[in-house]
């Protein structure tokens, strides 16, 4: 049975006027020694693509999908698996990401919920074997259910902490079963609404305890996937603890967890934290914790997480630039944590949205590769910081001098003339690469 009328999407090149074709994503084309498929490692988000029905705070569903046309929730879940794999095959998407709650409906008890997960995981495994599509990462949804009203690992209620741990345990087991290359922790409600009722010290200690238990359990079951923390500054809570890369790094280092976690950077989360997407990737890169990416974009006019498909080549260029400078993805990839707009409710819109996102990243990849090959910014930066490679600068870097020696130096030499940062010139060159590469 087929769920989609849209035919398989192929590469037709930049001259094509066919909306249902890739203009830039040419999976087998080599960029910096790897195929585009290997560089991008695109993934489909199960939740936005197969369970989102167009609901927003002001209205209900607008998307009535063929795979949802049954009342039986398990039948629906199985239909979704088949539809998801048909979609990924047609879109040439090699990976998927999922929350436990996306793939199987919750039951009244944890035991029954876990049994349902096992049924669906078996169906997913069959589809993975048939298609060769793989799991980029799994996670648990410990934020949607009403028991998580005050958080999961940071709940004031210890029995909720225990329940969250049980959910994570099962989600890790099924991620392992599906060969997931990473496991994600997004602190859905790990934050607070008011400090008047919140013991932040205990909550953060408990969050670290929960993550420590996950590290221990991974060893116990032999799960070798990479643990990833996904920062977000707000939404749903007013203040989320995993605010941004800097906050996550401080937390991991305080609790001695830094060797076990990398980060999953989401573009729209970066901008909610008043950072650029590139800033967050850059902070990860220089700290050796760039794990994976949730690809999307926000709307500059709206202050919330709109999770739009990425269409801004400027942003994807600078993101791919950081990723390539980091050596490219190893276990991570580009997961489209993106959803079609509520008004884009037709089947075709899902295909068009993914084509737009994949092409935008493919184009960004090629521009970034050209910038790196030509050492455009690297040569400029090397000259800009040249004073640290000789004389007093070299002594500073090598730790040969302290305040006394530096005072003596300053008294004798003063400072040399500063030179321009040439920002406008660099932005002009970047534009030229985006337009011409
Ligand atoms: C929420 C978000 C999540 C995580 C996984 O903003 O990004 O979907 O990626 O829980
Ligand atoms: Co995300």
């Amino acid at each position: 049975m087929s769920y989609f009328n849209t035919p398989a999407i192929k590469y037709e090149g930049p001259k094509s006027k066919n909306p249902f074709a890739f203009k830039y994503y040419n999976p087998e084309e080599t960029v910096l020694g790897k195929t585009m498929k290997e560089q991008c490692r695109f993934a489909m988000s199960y939740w936005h693509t197969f369970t989102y029905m167009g609901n927003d705070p002001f209205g209900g569903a607008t998307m009535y999908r063929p795979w949802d046309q049954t009342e039986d929730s398990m039948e629906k879940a199985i239909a979704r698996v088949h539809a998801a794999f048909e979609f990924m095959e047609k879109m040439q998407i090699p990976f998927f990401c999922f929350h436990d709650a996306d793939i199987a409906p919750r039951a009244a008890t944890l035991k029954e919920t876990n049994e349902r997960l096992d049924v669906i995981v078996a169906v997913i495994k069959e589809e993975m074997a048939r298609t060769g599509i793989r799991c980029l990462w799994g996670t648990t949804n410990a934020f949607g259910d009403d028991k998580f009203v005050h958080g999961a690992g940071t709940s004031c209620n210890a029995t909720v902490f225990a329940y969250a741990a049980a959910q994570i345990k099962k989600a890790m087991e099924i991620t392992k079963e599906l060969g997931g290359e990473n496991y994600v922790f997004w602190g859905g409600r790990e934050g607070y609404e008011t400090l008047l009722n919140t013991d932040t010290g205990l909550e953060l200690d408990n969050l670290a305890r929960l993550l420590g238990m996950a590290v221990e359990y991974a060893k116990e079951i032999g799960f070798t996937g990479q643990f990833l923390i996904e920062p977000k500054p707000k939404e749903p809570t007013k203040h989320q603890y995993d605010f941004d890369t800097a906050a996550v790094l401080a937390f991991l280092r305080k609790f001695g967890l830094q060797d076990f976690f990398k980060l999953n950077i989401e573009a729209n989360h970066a901008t909610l934290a008043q950072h650029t997407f590139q800033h967050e990737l850059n902070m990860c890169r220089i700290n050796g914790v760039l794990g994976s990416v949730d690809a999307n974009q926000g709307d500059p006019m709206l202050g919330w997480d709109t999770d739009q498909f990425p269409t801004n080549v400027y942003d994807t260029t600078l993101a791919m630039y950081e990723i390539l400078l980091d050596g490219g993805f190893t276990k991570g990839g580009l997961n489209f944590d993106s959803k079609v707009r509520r008004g884009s409710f037709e089947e075709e819109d899902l295909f068009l949205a993914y084509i737009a996102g994949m092409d935008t990243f493919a184009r960004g990849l090629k521009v970034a590769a050209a910038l790196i090959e030509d050492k455009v910014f690297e040569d400029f930066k090397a000259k800009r910081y040249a004073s640290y490679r000789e004389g007093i600068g070299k002594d500073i870097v090598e730790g040969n001098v302290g305040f006394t020696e530096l005072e003596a130096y300053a008294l004798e030499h003063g400072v040399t003339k500063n030179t321009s940062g040439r920002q406008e010139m660099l932005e002009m060159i970047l534009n030229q690469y985006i337009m011409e590469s």
Side-chain angles (χ1 to χ4, degrees):
M1 153 153 199
S2 170
Y3 289 97
F4 298 99
N5 298 316
T6 308
I9 307 301
K10 306 234 157 46
Y11 172 72
E12 290 186 5
K15 298 246 173 334
S16 169
K17 296 270 190 291
N18 175 8
F20 293 95
F22 296 120
K23 320 298 180 304
Y24 303 103
Y25 181 57
N26 186 8
E28 299 311 322
E29 185 182 329
T30 303
V31 179
L32 287 186
K34 285 192 212 165
T35 63
M36 278 193 165
K37 184 177 168 188
E38 291 164 335
Q39 291 284 21
C40 296
R41 290 168 62 87
F42 286 127
M44 182 202 76
S45 59
Y46 210 97
W47 54 104
H48 285 321
T49 321
F50 284 93
T51 63
Y52 175 60
M53 297 181 71
N55 305 59
D56 75 6
F58 306 95
T62 61
M63 299 166 189
Y64 303 98
R65 306 299 198 191
W67 53 86
D68 281 343
Q69 302 313 311
T70 162
E71 286 304 309
D72 185 289
S73 62
M74 279 302 274
E75 260 177 43
K76 200 182 284 194
I78 291 170
R80 278 179 181 159
V81 176
H82 294 304
F85 279 80
E86 182 189 341
F87 180 74
M88 288 186 278
E89 273 188 293
K90 287 190 160 169
M91 281 304 310
Q92 303 192 53
I93 296 176
F95 291 97
F96 66 96
C97 300
F98 72 99
H99 300 80
D100 45 8
D102 311 330
I103 60 170
R106 297 251 190 260
T109 65
L110 182 64
K111 186 169 173 290
E112 227 185 311
T113 300
N114 289 349
E115 284 162 5
R116 288 182 171 187
L117 281 166
D118 291 337
V119 172
I120 302 298
V121 164
V123 183
I124 294 180
K125 274 178 85 173
E126 277 170 25
E127 286 290 75
M128 289 174 73
R130 183 183 67 76
T131 60
I133 290 168
R134 288 146 64 194
C135 173
L136 189 70
W137 53 258
T139 188
T140 190
N141 179 330
F143 44 87
D145 199 81
D146 63 0
K147 64 174 76 66
F148 300 117
V149 60
H150 298 310
T154 63
S155 174
C156 49
N157 179 344
T159 64
V160 173
F161 181 107
Y163 203 96
Q167 270 192 211
I168 294 170
K169 176 177 178 288
K170 182 65 181 174
M172 280 172 61
E173 289 163 5
I174 61 178
T175 302
K176 177 175 182 267
E177 176 87 19
L178 294 172
E181 301 196 18
N182 307 268
Y183 182 90
V184 164
F185 293 87
W186 170 59
R189 290 189 195 272
E190 313 295 25
Y192 63 79
E193 293 299 326
T194 172
L195 289 174
L196 299 180
N197 66 10
T198 306
D199 183 343
T200 49
L202 178 63
E203 290 199 1
L204 283 160
D205 287 352
N206 281 346
L207 187 57
R209 289 183 180 109
L210 188 73
L211 297 179
M213 289 176 201
V215 170
E216 285 310 309
Y217 192 62
K219 284 186 202 147
E220 209 176 308
I221 62 171
F223 175 63
T224 53
Q226 176 65 52
F227 279 147
L228 299 171
I229 293 188
E230 183 176 323
K232 185 173 183 180
K234 56 187 166 192
E235 212 194 302
T237 68
K238 174 176 91 168
H239 178 99
Q240 303 259 139
Y241 291 125
D242 295 333
F243 194 94
D244 60 1
T245 301
V248 171
L249 281 175
F251 169 85
L252 290 174
R253 287 170 183 165
K254 174 176 176 188
F255 292 100
L257 291 165
Q258 66 276 14
D259 294 341
F260 307 103
F261 292 84
K262 287 188 173 177
L263 272 69
N264 183 37
I265 295 300
E266 177 162 327
N268 204 168
H269 296 181
T271 50
L272 280 179
Q274 307 288 315
H275 300 309
T276 61
F277 188 16
Q278 186 190 7
H279 167 93
E280 285 293 84
L281 293 167
N282 180 284
M283 287 298 117
C284 283
R285 177 170 68 77
I286 65 165
N287 284 289
V289 292
L290 207 174
S292 196
V293 166
D294 269 8
N296 61 17
Q297 70 187 24
D299 185 306
M301 300 299 137
L302 302 174
W304 64 90
D305 194 14
T306 57
D307 285 336
Q308 289 166 231
F309 274 87
T311 52
N312 183 324
V313 183
Y314 209 94
D315 287 345
T316 59
T317 296
L318 294 174
M320 288 314 298
Y321 172 75
E322 294 295 335
I323 292 161
L324 290 176
L325 280 188
D326 197 51
F329 288 123
T330 47
K331 291 190 169 188
L334 296 168
N335 165 47
F336 287 101
D337 194 349
S338 313
K339 57 178 185 256
V340 287
R341 298 303 83 197
R342 190 166 185 263
S344 305
F345 49 78
E346 293 174 358
E347 163 195 322
E348 289 84 346
D349 293 305
L350 281 179
F351 286 88
L352 295 166
Y354 270 90
I355 294 168
M358 291 163 78
D359 264 350
T360 307
F361 264 96
R363 184 88 183 112
L365 166 69
K366 287 186 86 166
V367 180
L371 286 165
I372 289 172
E373 273 181 328
D374 295 350
K375 294 196 166 71
V376 174
F377 303 125
E378 280 55 52
D379 282 349
F380 187 85
K381 287 184 197 176
K383 268 196 213 134
R384 190 161 187 243
Y385 296 92
S387 66
Y388 286 95
R389 292 199 299 276
E390 59 187 21
I392 193 68
K394 192 161 185 259
D395 282 335
I396 293 171
V397 169
E398 290 178 355
N400 301 331
V401 288
F403 275 2
T404 308
E405 294 79 8
L406 291 174
E407 182 192 46
Y409 181 91
L411 286 170
E412 191 182 341
H413 301 282
V415 295
T416 55
K417 217 161 126 266
N418 276 313
T419 54
S420 167
R422 292 269 189 271
Q423 182 172 336
E424 297 78 3
M425 178 193 81
L426 294 167
E427 287 167 350
M428 171 172 72
I429 295 172
L430 174 59
N431 276 347
Q432 192 183 3
Y433 270 77
I434 288 176
M435 291 186 277
E436 304 298 334
S437 295

